Amino acid sequence: MKLSPLQIARYQYSPKLPGMLRNGIAEICVKNGGPTESVADQEKIQALFPNTYGKNEITFQKGENTSPAKKQVVGVILSGGQAPGGHNVVCGLYDALKALSPENVLIGFKGGPSGLLDNDFIVFEDDYINQYRNTGGFDIIGSGRTKLETQEQFAIVVENCKKHGVNALVIIGGDDSNTNAAVLAEYCAAHNTGIQVIGCPKTIDGDLKNEDIECSFGFDTATKTYAEIIGNIERDANSAKKYWHFVKVMGRSASHVALECALQTQPNICLVGEEVAAKKMSLAAIADYIADSVAARAAKGWNFGVAIIPEGIVEFVPEFSVLIAEINELLAGEKADSFNNLPTWADKYAFIENGLTAESMAVFAILPQSIQQQLFLERDPHGNVQVSLIESEKLFSALVKDNLAARKKEGTYNGKFSALHHFLGYEGRCAFPSNFDADYCYSLGYNAAMLIQYGYTGYLSKVSNLSKPAEEWVAGGMPITKMMNIERRHGADKPVIRKALVELEGAPFKFFAEHRAEWATETCFVYPGAIQYYGPAEVCDLTTRTLALEKA
Ligand code: FBP
């Protein structure tokens, strides 16, 4: 493998651990916190998790290590979408296990949860691990989106673990993967398998958090990567002064990524799905809101600007989610074939017009034809519209263009509107982890080993106080059931981790809301530049604005 100079330099980087984990393994002891309860539906969750519910939160502190001496054989998987820092979780876990005893073994199951089912694995050793330290990506063992959720799957997982003598599994994943980790932990406890399960909070989307888990890893690096690009686009916009840039950023559902990018770059517009839902904004109302900014800036002679669009936005627009539900129904089962066999788009349009309610047809009719067709082309294996594939950046720029044309007719707008489109997603998911993510991830992995050593199961590795220097970070564990509630999934009540959406009463959104009117009409762009790995701590160890505002 040919290495870049930065990669070689990053191999030498020593990730910072929380102060309490720096004393050496022999001097880490447990401090018990209080018992926990789930975020909602306590009785139901307790009944579903009789062995793992309600356990104490714990933190580690300096003191005599009282954990029993025991050989550890630990399995690890990466699950779901890539997030910068995943390699460091594995490295931290490996280093702590080896520090506990050179006899300990770490096994990586390949390709995500399916590796556990297929017994596809690698046993980690120094030479292999060392190639991945402080690097981006998940290629150390790969990842996947297979869901581990049925009793049959759990039985196979246990059988495969037994083949290797695995006594603990670490699942590095988002809300779905950690929900499954909690269910697997309960299964293992109920069946006396002797296998512990520990989760680690991963997702660039930033929606796996609560008062204990201050952020999921990868969010810091991904948003800094996107913010760098958006800042560069802003600078170009401000130089050329002739384009409006519509930038869609990843985040399947919650708008944390978009909001964080806005806080870092101060664009003219940033949509926040959670606000759109709360205010029940229609597509026309959103277009009007953006067009107001375009028109106000045009009146000053500025026919340029930047708008950030969160990937998940359309699902938050009430009329659009109704439309999608109706389309799913319209094409359910064999009706999809009848539709697909229609020879022309005009025939298909008539079929749609006939099948949708008048309200949904009115929404459908204002969409650009490319988006109308996308709604019927891009379907998931269950036949549903794949909302994440909708080019919402193009949708909104087209609606704004129509809105401005109407304003022109009325004589209220006389500018020029030329739009360019960008989608920032995969560009950020495998970036070299920022120092924050390198340190945080290594600490999560190291800490997971300590949780295993002390016999915990059904816990999420927790490192908090993250807005402070790493020395002051607090390491410990939180029972995963604390984040759970009951939700309706595929027609049944299921215990799941509650997704953390953007809180409209939270400090990050409030800061944005207080400033956005000025950002919309003035040019207040901020250019964050590239992530810095070497240099002054105030540049290199900067946290996200979201974390800073939440913890201020
Ligand atoms: P996770 O929830 O698994 O962390 O993934 C999140 C994400 O990066 C979203 O932002 C995005 O919508 C999605 O993954 C894309 O998934 P895929 O890799 O399957 O295209």
Side-chain angles (χ1 to χ4, degrees):
M1 173 164 53
K2 183 159 165 48
L3 301 174
S4 70
L6 181 65
Q7 187 156 332
I8 295 166
R10 289 311 276 168
Y11 285 160
Q12 313 309 322
Y13 179 75
S14 296
K16 300 186 270 299
L17 281 171
M20 63 191 58
L21 297 182
R22 291 183 193 175
N23 303 310
I25 292 285
E27 285 186 64
I28 301 176
C29 71
V30 171
K31 182 178 168 210
N32 262 308
T36 54
E37 54 178 31
S38 59
V39 62
D41 308 308
Q42 290 82 8
E43 279 181 19
K44 287 183 185 167
I45 303 284
Q46 182 164 19
L48 290 164
F49 295 86
N51 295 284
T52 50
Y53 184 83
K55 302 283 183 208
N56 291 344
E57 284 196 59
I58 66 116
T59 48
F60 291 115
Q61 62 181 17
K62 187 174 161 60
E64 189 192 343
N65 186 333
T66 55
S67 64
K70 176 184 173 198
K71 180 177 174 187
Q72 303 286 354
V73 182
V74 176
V76 61
I77 60 165
L78 292 159
S79 180
Q82 284 71 252
H87 288 166
N88 268 25
V89 182
V90 179
C91 295
L93 178 61
Y94 177 84
D95 288 353
L97 285 171
K98 292 294 179 187
L100 282 161
S101 162
E103 301 297 305
N104 288 344
V105 178
L106 181 63
I107 299 174
F109 289 93
K110 294 185 185 171
S114 63
L116 267 173
L117 296 170
D118 302 339
N119 195 24
D120 188 7
F121 67 96
I122 175 175
V123 177
F124 288 115
E125 287 183 0
D126 286 358
D127 286 351
Y128 187 76
I129 279 275
N130 290 342
Q131 299 172 62
Y132 292 94
R133 291 186 186 273
N134 308 305
T135 58
F138 272 11
D139 42 321
I140 188 168
I141 40 174
S143 186
R145 291 197 183 276
T146 302
K147 292 200 186 313
L148 270 189
E149 52 190 356
T150 67
Q151 301 282 308
E152 294 72 27
Q153 287 176 319
F154 293 158
I156 297 172
V157 168
V158 169
E159 193 186 310
N160 284 333
C161 284
K162 293 225 157 118
K163 285 181 193 156
H164 302 282
V166 165
N167 63 282
L169 278 175
V170 175
I171 296 185
I172 303 170
D175 55 340
D176 276 349
S177 309
N178 278 298
T179 291
N180 297 337
V183 183
L184 178 61
E186 179 62 31
Y187 175 96
C188 288
H191 291 77
N192 290 317
T193 60
I195 299 171
Q196 300 159 242
V197 183
I198 299 294
C200 283
K202 170 238 75 165
T203 175
I204 64 159
D205 292 4
D207 55 8
L208 176 58
K209 63 176 177 178
N210 66 358
E211 66 275 20
D212 295 285
I213 307 299
E214 295 174 359
C215 70
S216 53
F217 79 76
F219 179 71
D220 185 273
T221 309
T223 52
K224 283 175 180 160
T225 306
Y226 302 146
E228 179 207 346
I229 300 170
I230 295 167
N232 296 350
I233 288 172
E234 286 178 338
R235 193 126 217 182
D236 197 279
N238 200 16
S239 306
K241 301 197 189 299
K242 59 179 180 180
Y243 296 121
W244 264 85
H245 295 264
F246 284 72
V247 187
K248 180 170 83 169
V249 292
M250 254 190 186
R252 188 191 303 276
S253 178
S255 298
H256 296 290
V257 173
L259 179 58
E260 172 61 26
C261 290
L263 293 170
Q264 287 189 37
T265 61
Q266 303 188 178
N268 306 105
I269 294 289
C270 174
L271 301 180
V272 174
E274 292 81 344
E275 182 185 33
V276 165
K279 292 185 175 167
K280 299 192 171 36
M281 289 174 83
S282 64
L283 290 177
I286 299 171
D288 207 43
Y289 167 65
I290 303 174
D292 280 349
S293 167
V294 176
R297 291 175 62 75
K300 296 179 182 175
W302 298 339
N303 291 301
F304 66 94
V306 172
I308 300 181
I309 315 287
E311 181 187 21
I313 189 81
V314 287
E315 277 182 282
F316 286 94
V317 181
E319 59 186 6
F320 206 88
S321 32
V322 173
L323 169 67
I324 287 168
E326 285 190 22
I327 292 176
N328 288 338
E329 190 53 36
L330 189 61
L331 296 195
E334 285 164 13
K335 286 183 271 178
D337 292 336
S338 327
F339 175 82
N340 291 334
N341 290 336
L342 294 170
T344 66
W345 175 243
D347 294 322
K348 288 179 173 161
Y349 198 93
F351 178 98
I352 296 163
E353 206 161 19
N354 205 22
L356 294 180
T357 59
E359 294 75 25
S360 287
M361 192 57 211
V363 178
F364 187 75
I366 62 165
L367 303 178
Q369 199 188 79
S370 60
I371 304 281
Q372 290 177 336
Q373 291 178 337
Q374 259 171 36
L375 288 172
F376 284 84
L377 285 177
E378 312 284 5
R379 318 188 61 75
D380 73 11
H382 307 287
N384 293 331
V385 174
Q386 278 192 275
V387 181
S388 65
L389 297 182
I390 295 170
E391 292 175 301
S392 43
E393 68 283 23
K394 293 190 182 157
L395 166 65
F396 285 109
S397 88
L399 294 176
V400 168
K401 193 173 169 199
D402 290 350
N403 183 300
L404 293 170
R407 290 181 191 220
K408 226 169 213 172
K409 268 195 193 154
E410 288 166 3
T412 53
Y413 163 76
N414 194 25
K416 290 189 198 118
F417 178 71
S418 181
L420 293 176
H421 306 102
H422 314 262
F423 171 40
L424 303 182
Y426 300 95
E427 295 85 344
R429 296 203 311 181
C430 284
F432 274 97
S434 60
N435 285 354
F436 175 87
D437 269 329
D439 299 344
Y440 180 40
C441 290
Y442 188 82
S443 302
L444 285 171
Y446 203 94
N447 187 55
M450 295 314 301
L451 290 169
I452 292 167
Q453 179 69 17
Y454 272 100
Y456 292 100
T457 190
Y459 275 66
L460 209 51
S461 177
K462 169 184 131 177
V463 177
S464 54
N465 210 24
L466 295 170
S467 59
K468 297 279 171 12
E471 167 72 33
E472 294 169 46
W473 289 358
V474 178
M478 183 207 69
I480 303 175
T481 50
K482 188 176 176 193
M483 292 182 125
M484 296 181 100
N485 67 167
I486 300 285
E487 288 176 23
R488 201 90 188 137
R489 297 276 168 95
H490 305 298
D493 282 349
K494 286 263 162 79
V496 294
I497 290 179
R498 181 186 275 180
K499 232 184 221 316
L501 299 177
V502 169
E503 284 180 21
L504 303 183
E505 289 307 313
F509 182 79
K510 276 190 165 169
F511 183 93
F512 166 70
E514 275 160 24
H515 292 85
R516 64 178 156 185
E518 190 193 356
W519 299 354
T521 51
E522 300 299 322
T523 300
C524 305
F525 300 156
V526 174
Y527 315 119
I531 294 174
Q532 301 297 307
Y533 300 95
Y534 302 98
E538 66 269 23
V539 178
C540 298
D541 295 342
L542 201 66
T543 61
T544 57
R545 296 280 295 132
T546 302
L547 189 62
L549 287 163
E550 279 174 348
K551 295 292 153 197

